[in-house]
């Protein structure tokens, strides 16, 4: 079998032609000469990644390792390249004989001994390997999944997230609002929906770096307890609480929420946690929340959802590089699970477009602080974050993923504790 030019092979599978310029290490090219975006496949390892893990995982491996270089965009924000590729790359399905011929021809270009290169060090184990080492969504395995994603570097997160250190969807009061203004509005919206009053007790599960805990304690006078599975987040949050002089009203623990012994909370907020727990765990999760609220106590559940109610994984790239064991479904499934646990759902809101704007601003921060981010975590990890955030932005813009806030209460004897009309609008 003679070798096959890489550019020729890839172009032959595209229905509408290649919208970007592809330059491969074998000297072959494809796509328009004047394209604004240029892909450079630098070596055999990059091609082996593409051959052995077709789809988003193979592309991610090649990109993160530096074997596939995207010219025309910044590594911290490849959004424009991804948008163009998603809009114009439509692969036709080759016949079985054609597929075999293409694979053999390309394989002969790299040599069979190079077809299984080790994945980049940023990649987590595949799900089946994780399952062999621990039961999915056990306390131990959940802690390891959170460690993989969140214990990267507090300084890195400061550079990307900005002063708020809020790694969840912001709420933009206007299209011109800054990221910090939008994160402040998000925390305040949650406080308003929960109807927080001075002296009440708030539990914030999956509290991250303590932004919600500090905001509620400072502006609403509550006793706020936050828990996170990330040791790095808990340490950062304690320092921030002390710096704000909130030590008598706010606390962040390095703990699983299931280990919280206190109960009878006036309010519970869960901002960005539900994505990690697994849909099969929803009954246990919402049951736990119900049992830890006082009568008429309120729950605000804020999480990424699908635009449908099927249970779907997050995709191979997200699972291996970003959210190991992550799982998404629609807001209807979340509402049903809350209701089945005995909670009365009072309100839900979709903030999909707000998350696209949030991701846009995080990418801008990554680009602005690129050199320091690379120095802090390495260029491969920085590329992972640029790729992940730009791709997620596209997902929210295209309505492939959404962000829902679901507000519920522990109604007792028909008493829900709510006013006749919502009071949380500004």
């Amino acid at each position: 079998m003679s070798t096959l030019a890489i550019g020729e092979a890839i172009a032959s599978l595209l229905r509408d032609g290649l919208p970007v310029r592809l330059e491969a290490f074998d000297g072959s090219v494809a796509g328009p000469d004047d394209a604004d975006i240029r892909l450079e496949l630098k070596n055999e390892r990059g091609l082996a990644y593409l051959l052995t893990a077709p789809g988003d995982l193979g592309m991610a491996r090649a990109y993160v390792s530096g074997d596939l270089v995207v010219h025309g965009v910044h590594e911290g924000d490849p959004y424009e390249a991804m948008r163009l590729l998603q809009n114009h790359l439509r692969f036709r399905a080759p016949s079985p004989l054609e597929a075999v011929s293409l694979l053999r021809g390309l394989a002969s270009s790299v040599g069979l001994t190079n077809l299984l290169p080790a994945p980049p060090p940023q990649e987590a184990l595949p799900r089946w390997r994780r399952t062999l080492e621990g039961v999915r969504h056990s306390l131990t395995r959940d802690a390891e999944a959170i460690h993989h994603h969140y214990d990267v570097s507090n300084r890195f997160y400061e550079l990307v997230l900005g002063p708020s250190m809020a790694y969840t969807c912001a709420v933009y009061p206007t299209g011109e609002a800054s990221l910090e203004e939008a994160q402040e509005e998000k925390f305040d919206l949650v406080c308003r929906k929960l109807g927080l009053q001075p002296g009440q007790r708030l539990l914030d599960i999956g509290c991250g770096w303590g932004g919600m805990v500090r905001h509620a304690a400072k502006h609403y006078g509550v006793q706020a307890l936050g828990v996170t599975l990330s040791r790095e987040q808990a340490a950062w949050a304690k320092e921030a609480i002390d710096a704000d002089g909130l030590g008598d009203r706010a606390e962040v623990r390095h703990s699983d929420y299931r280990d919280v012994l206190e109960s009878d909370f006036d309010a519970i907020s869960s901002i960005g946690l539900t994505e990690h727990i697994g849909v099969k765990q929803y009954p246990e999760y919402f049951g736990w929340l119900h049992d830890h609220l006082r009568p008429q106590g309120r729950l605000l559940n804020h999480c990424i959802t699908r635009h449908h109610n099927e249970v779907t994984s997050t995709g191979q790239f997200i699972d291996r590089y970003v959210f190991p064991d992550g799982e998404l479904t629609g807001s209807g499934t979340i509402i049903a699970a809350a209701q089945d646990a005995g909670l009365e759902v009072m309100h839900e809101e979709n903030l999909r477009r707000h998350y696209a704007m949030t991701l846009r601003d995080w990418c801008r921060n990554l680009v602005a602080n690129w050199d320091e981010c690379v120095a802090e975590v390495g260029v491969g990890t920085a590329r992972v974050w640029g790729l992940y955030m730009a791709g997620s932005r596209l997902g929210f813009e295209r309505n492939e993923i959404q962000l829902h806030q679901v507000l519920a209460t522990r109604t007792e004897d028909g008493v829900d504790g709510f006013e006749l009309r919502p009071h949380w609008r500004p």
Side-chain angles (χ1 to χ4, degrees), residues 119-162:
Q122 293 80 12
E123 185 171 314
L125 293 172
R127 288 195 182 199
W128 68 268
R129 286 281 303 279
R130 283 177 249 149
T131 300
L132 291 176
E133 298 183 6
V135 177
R136 194 174 182 196
H137 297 301
S138 64
L139 270 66
T140 300
R141 183 159 160 181
D142 279 353
E144 180 56 35
I146 294 299
H147 167 73
H148 177 85
H149 184 65
Y150 291 98
D151 291 344
V152 177
S153 157
N154 282 337
R155 179 55 184 159
F156 175 79
Y157 281 110
E158 289 173 348
L159 294 166
V160 174
L161 304 181

Side-chain angles (χ1 to χ4, degrees), residues 204-227:
D204 184 39
I205 60 176
C207 69
W209 291 270
M212 176 65 189
V213 167
R214 288 184 288 126
H215 185 94
K218 181 177 181 181
H219 297 287
Y220 287 82
V222 302
Q223 292 292 132
L225 168 63
V227 291

Side-chain angles (χ1 to χ4, degrees), residues 85-105:
L85 290 171
Q86 287 199 19
N87 280 339
H88 297 288
L89 279 185
R90 293 196 304 154
F91 285 88
R92 65 178 178 83
S95 67
L97 287 177
E98 185 182 8
V100 170
S101 177
L102 285 171
L103 286 173
R104 284 179 176 174

Side-chain angles (χ1 to χ4, degrees), residues 109-123:
S109 297
V110 300
L112 290 174
T113 58
N114 295 326
L115 274 177
L116 293 174
Q122 293 80 12
E123 185 171 314

Side-chain angles (χ1 to χ4, degrees), residues 212-401:
M212 176 65 189
V213 167
R214 288 184 288 126
H215 185 94
K218 181 177 181 181
H219 297 287
Y220 287 82
V222 302
Q223 292 292 132
L225 168 63
V227 291
T228 173
L229 281 173
S230 167
R231 190 180 302 276
E232 294 295 323
Q233 287 181 334
W236 192 98
K238 184 181 185 307
E239 291 184 4
I241 287 170
D242 292 342
D244 289 346
L246 297 171
D248 60 332
R249 282 179 282 164
E251 177 189 359
V252 168
R253 297 176 190 166
H254 174 228
S255 169
D256 192 290
Y257 76 90
R258 292 166 285 191
D259 291 331
V260 173
L261 299 179
E262 296 93 332
S263 191
D264 208 37
F265 289 97
D266 296 286
I268 299 177
S269 52
S270 175
I271 306 174
L273 172 67
T274 318
E275 299 91 330
H276 297 285
I277 67 173
V279 176
K280 289 183 179 180
Q281 279 66 47
Y282 281 7
E284 177 187 352
Y285 167 73
F286 283 105
W288 190 98
L289 296 174
H290 172 277
D291 293 346
H292 285 73
L293 283 170
R294 66 162 176 80
Q296 291 88 57
R298 298 185 186 184
L299 164 70
L300 189 289
N301 198 85
H302 167 124
C303 72
I304 300 171
T305 58
R306 290 291 189 196
H307 63 287
H308 53 71
N309 284 288
E310 298 175 6
V311 179
T312 57
S313 67
T314 53
Q316 289 197 78
F317 167 65
I318 297 294
D319 183 64
R320 300 282 189 95
Y321 286 86
V322 186
F323 292 117
D325 292 341
E327 212 169 48
L328 299 177
T329 188
S331 58
T333 303
I334 290 169
I335 290 172
Q339 292 171 332
D340 289 346
L343 295 164
E344 182 177 8
V345 174
M346 307 298 291
H347 184 268
E348 72 89 25
E349 182 175 6
N350 184 3
L351 298 169
R352 173 180 64 83
R353 290 185 294 166
H354 292 262
Y355 216 155
M357 297 167 70
T358 305
L359 288 154
R360 174 203 64 194
D361 289 346
W362 287 343
C363 278
R364 287 175 177 173
N365 285 345
L366 180 57
V367 169
N369 299 294
W370 180 254
D371 290 343
E372 189 173 351
C373 285
V374 169
E376 186 68 26
V377 300
V379 67
T381 298
R383 286 181 185 135
V384 166
W385 281 84
L387 189 64
Y388 147 62
M389 294 191 297
S392 297
R393 175 185 171 186
L394 274 172
F396 284 105
E397 289 179 346
R398 290 170 172 266
N399 194 31
E400 296 167 358
I401 42 179

